[in-house]
Amino acid sequence: MLKRTQKKSFNNLLIKKNTILILFFLLFAFISFWSVSFHEMWRDEVQAWLLARDSNTIFDLFRNLKYEGHPGLWHLILFPLTRIFKYPISMQFLHVIIGLLNIYLLFRYSPFKFWQKVLIGFSYFLLYQYNVIARSYGLGVFFIFTACSLFPYRKKYPIQISLILVFLGHTSVLGLIYSICFLLTIILEELFFAKKSLVPTQLKISNKTLYFCLFLIISGYFTSIIQMLPASDIGVHNGWDFSFDKGKIFDTGYQISQAFLPFLISKMISIENYFLAHLISFFLCGFISLIVIKLAFRPSSLFLFLSTSFGLLLFFYVKFEGAVRHHGYIFIALISSLWIFKSCFEINGIKKIRFFNYLENIFESFLVLLLAFQSFLGLNSIYKDIKGTFSSAQKTAEFITEKGFSSATIIGHRSSFAMSVAGHLYPKKDFYYIDAQRFGTFLRWDDKRTIYKNFVRSNEEINLLNENALTFSNINKDVLLLLDYSFNKFFSRSKFYNNYTLIYKSQSSMSKENYLIYRLNTN
């Protein structure tokens, strides 16, 4: 009778807990779809849509991706989507669905405590950066979480986890780094700890299956790397810098702070509160030390965190310093390392030492503070995005359409900014990009764009803009200059000042994509 009562009590508690988790999942879904309906996409989001939409074939798409520096799984998914749906909001909703799948995997399969799942789900990266902002990094998180879910059953589903790692390696260069480190973690666990691990020992992978998995992974990584090889005329991030640089070493510490406490140190520095900045740095150093101590109980989980963090930081150092969306993968490395923690071999005897247990309790307290800050930042970012304007590109495109300028020749002085507006115009409209001297929609990062980089905000650029505007006026009576800063101070000193009228000025935006439109006077 007592056992039956205890079982009934346990089942009731489980039902109550699952009900609360479902409610939080529904709340997450509501916040996500609501906020994405307010979010104005910026150039990085629009770029992926335009590449998929305006590449005529799959082969054209892969040729255009040679300037992107990432493999093309996300773009391949968008390619048919752009043929079905007219507007890029379809991409935003698709990305939110991927974000919801990430939360489902977290709630359903992760071993975290209830409150930890909620805080992780509402963290800045999972709620906002990899959910509302539609880029390939959210897709990468989906494959990471799927790999973590399959990790305890890696011997039962070797082909499935191999495919997941291949797909992860095709989401981005960060995903490829993470995939390699996750594979090495599995190899470490199997070679050194397989006999004592929690994976059932009676399961044995046949040699045929093992060779097939190796073939899948090696060929998958090879095709990912082939896609990322840059075009011969690429104009950005072309080269690797292994030289020692104190400034770049300092940037590494900043990148770690961006991963765990986004924007906090930069905020303190901006208001010249260096004491708090140093205090936050001290907190992070202590927290990372506690992470190492916590994960040291199970070496494979520690290896996943350290190898992934080192691989990402090395890439940021020698190739591309990245932004907060890139640095966030270090935070994801922590989450996934803690996720697989209980499925890894445990070193016997360490937990019997009181000192380590004491430090582990401190780690739990630090983790609460970290996740609480992340959740606050995630919800605050959602609030700011809904209340403010993330990018003015959409409203600028609406102005062009509403005022009947869709047929005008539009000259954008910088393709990296003007293309955001092009992505919101329907039907498709090519802009003339002054920095590349060509018509187009999406941004091509080739060396042609560097030719006129010294002209920005200069009299030379005004001359170039005016020459092209006058040339196009012989073909089309309506000619617009789409700029991201005011030319008034330059026009006032030039003979072209009276040739143009400012007809539109956008409001300030969070992404600093602000626009002005000048119209060429024809009378």
Side-chain angles (χ1 to χ4, degrees):
M1 180 67 70
L2 181 61
K3 288 184 178 179
R4 187 180 299 175
T5 304
Q6 288 176 341
K7 185 177 181 181
K8 185 177 180 181
S9 177
F10 175 78
N11 288 336
N12 290 336
L13 182 64
L14 187 63
I15 292 171
K16 184 178 179 181
K17 184 178 178 180
N18 288 337
T19 302
I20 295 173
L21 284 175
I22 290 171
L23 290 175
F24 269 104
F25 180 83
L26 293 175
L27 177 61
F28 184 94
F30 172 76
I31 293 174
S32 299
F33 282 112
W34 185 43
S35 58
V36 84
S37 64
F38 286 91
H39 174 72
E40 301 91 355
M41 291 188 297
W42 75 306
R43 60 180 176 273
D44 279 16
E45 299 171 89
V46 174
Q47 172 76 348
W49 176 265
L50 289 177
L51 278 166
R53 189 194 72 180
D54 296 339
S55 295
N56 295 323
T57 65
I58 296 291
F59 297 105
D60 286 338
L61 176 62
F62 280 109
R63 277 193 290 269
N64 292 326
L65 285 173
K66 282 294 185 180
Y67 299 92
E68 292 296 296
H70 288 301
L73 181 59
W74 176 238
H75 302 82
L76 278 175
I77 294 172
L78 295 180
F79 189 82
L81 193 71
T82 59
R83 272 65 184 169
I84 300 171
F85 298 100
K86 181 179 180 181
Y87 302 105
I89 194 172
S90 59
M91 174 182 70
Q92 293 180 278
F93 281 111
L94 171 64
H95 194 264
V96 167
I97 292 172
I98 293 171
L100 290 175
L101 289 175
N102 293 337
I103 299 303
Y104 170 77
L105 292 172
L106 176 71
F107 283 3
R108 177 68 177 83
Y109 297 106
S110 74
F112 297 110
K113 299 174 184 176
F114 166 74
W115 63 266
Q116 290 174 328
K117 291 180 180 180
V118 172
L119 291 178
I120 293 170
F122 284 94
S123 65
Y124 169 75
F125 292 106
L126 290 185
L127 179 62
Y128 186 68
Q129 189 63 238
Y130 301 147
N131 181 41
V132 174
I133 299 179
R135 293 210 65 193
S136 63
Y137 306 113
L139 183 63
V141 172
F142 168 74
F143 290 120
I144 291 171
F145 283 4
T146 305
C148 290
S149 302
L150 289 174
F151 184 81
Y153 314 103
R154 55 194 176 275
K155 285 191 175 181
K156 188 177 181 181
Y157 304 110
I159 296 177
Q160 289 87 336
I161 200 168
S162 298
L163 284 171
I164 291 300
L165 293 180
V166 168
F167 286 135
L168 174 58
H170 281 77
T171 57
S172 67
V173 62
L174 309 182
L176 178 61
I177 293 170
Y178 202 105
S179 179
I180 293 171
C181 293
F182 202 98
L183 174 64
L184 293 176
T185 300
I186 294 176
I187 293 173
L188 175 68
E189 183 75 8
E190 292 304 309
L191 289 182
F192 293 96
F193 307 122
K195 293 181 179 180
K196 300 180 180 180
S197 70
L198 301 181
V199 179
T201 55
Q202 68 268 24
L203 294 176
K204 186 176 180 181
I205 303 174
S206 66
N207 290 336
K208 185 181 293 186
T209 302
L210 181 61
Y211 293 146
F212 180 68
C213 291
L214 289 174
F215 170 77
L216 277 178
I217 292 172
I218 292 172
S219 58
Y221 289 167
F222 176 76
T223 54
S224 176
I225 292 171
I226 288 295
Q227 291 176 59
M228 289 187 289
L229 292 177
S232 58
D233 60 340
I234 195 168
V236 293
H237 309 307
N238 190 17
W240 302 79
D241 183 10
F242 291 91
S243 62
F244 178 79
D245 188 321
K246 290 183 179 179
K248 290 169 71 175
I249 294 291
F250 177 80
D251 287 342
T252 298
Y254 175 72
Q255 290 154 4
I256 294 173
S257 74
Q258 288 285 80
F260 295 119
L261 300 171
F263 312 115
L264 194 55
I265 286 184
S266 58
K267 181 68 174 177
M268 294 301 103
I269 293 175
S270 66
I271 61 177
E272 298 186 351
N273 196 331
Y274 296 103
F275 172 76
L276 276 179
H278 285 92
L279 189 63
I280 295 165
S281 301
F282 180 77
F283 169 85
L284 277 176
C285 290
F287 180 68
I288 292 169
S289 300
L290 290 171
I291 292 173
V292 172
I293 294 171
K294 163 73 177 179
L295 298 178
F297 295 149
R298 300 178 187 260
S300 297
S301 64
L302 177 61
F303 176 81
L304 177 61
F305 174 71
L306 292 181
S307 62
T308 307
S309 300
F310 176 78
L312 293 170
L313 290 171
L314 181 63
F315 176 77
F316 298 148
Y317 184 89
V318 303
K319 184 64 173 177
F320 174 54
E321 66 275 9
V324 66
R325 58 188 177 276
H326 309 107
H327 308 150
Y329 262 50
I330 299 176
F331 173 76
I332 299 299
L334 170 63
I335 299 304
S336 56
S337 299
L338 293 172
W339 189 321
I340 70 169
F341 181 76
K342 291 183 179 179
S343 299
C344 298
F345 166 74
E346 181 180 12
I347 296 178
N348 294 325
I350 290 185
K351 281 205 167 185
K352 295 179 181 179
I353 304 174
R354 290 185 178 180
F355 176 72
F356 284 103
N357 288 329
Y358 176 71
L359 290 178
E360 190 174 11
N361 292 332
I362 297 176
F363 167 78
E364 293 291 335
S365 301
F366 272 57
L367 185 62
V368 173
L369 294 174
L370 172 74
L371 295 179
F373 173 79
Q374 283 266 359
S375 297
F376 167 77
L377 187 60
L379 291 169
N380 188 54
S381 298
I382 293 287
Y383 170 76
K384 287 184 176 179
D385 204 339
I386 293 173
K387 186 180 179 181
T389 301
F390 192 85
S391 169
S392 297
Q394 183 176 337
K395 292 181 180 178
T396 303
E398 289 171 357
F399 170 84
I400 292 173
T401 303
E402 291 170 1
K403 298 300 181 181
F405 293 124
S406 298
S407 60
T409 300
I410 301 178
I411 302 174
H413 82 114
R414 277 204 291 169
S415 50
S416 57
F417 276 78
M419 51 82 61
S420 298
V421 179
H424 291 286
L425 286 176
Y426 318 102
K428 168 189 172 183
K429 181 174 181 58
D430 288 346
F431 287 5
Y432 186 79
Y433 296 129
I434 199 71
D435 60 345
Q437 293 284 280
R438 61 172 170 244
F439 279 96
T441 54
F442 57 82
L443 170 61
R444 188 187 298 275
W445 297 96
D446 59 14
D447 53 13
K448 289 183 179 179
R449 291 184 62 254
T450 64
I451 296 174
Y452 299 102
K453 65 181 180 180
N454 295 325
F455 285 1
V456 175
R457 307 192 187 195
S458 65
N459 289 322
E460 288 87 347
E461 185 177 37
I462 292 176
N463 294 333
L464 190 62
L465 282 165
N466 186 67
E467 288 173 9
N468 282 276
L470 292 177
T471 300
F472 289 125
S473 67
N474 295 323
I475 304 170
N476 190 340
K477 290 184 67 176
D478 256 336
V479 178
L480 305 181
L481 300 183
L482 179 63
L483 314 174
D484 63 356
Y485 61 91
S486 174
F487 261 16
N488 283 346
K489 62 179 181 179
F490 293 115
F491 279 133
S492 61
R493 297 199 306 264
S494 73
K495 58 185 178 181
F496 310 126
Y497 179 74
N498 294 322
N499 290 358
Y500 301 90
T501 301
L502 178 65
I503 60 172
Y504 176 79
K505 182 178 181 181
S506 69
Q507 64 187 78
S508 181
S509 65
M510 295 165 61
S511 63
K512 298 181 180 179
E513 285 191 340
N514 309 312
Y515 300 92
L516 299 96
I517 298 178
Y518 290 88
R519 187 181 187 186
L520 177 65
N521 300 325
T522 55
N523 43 349

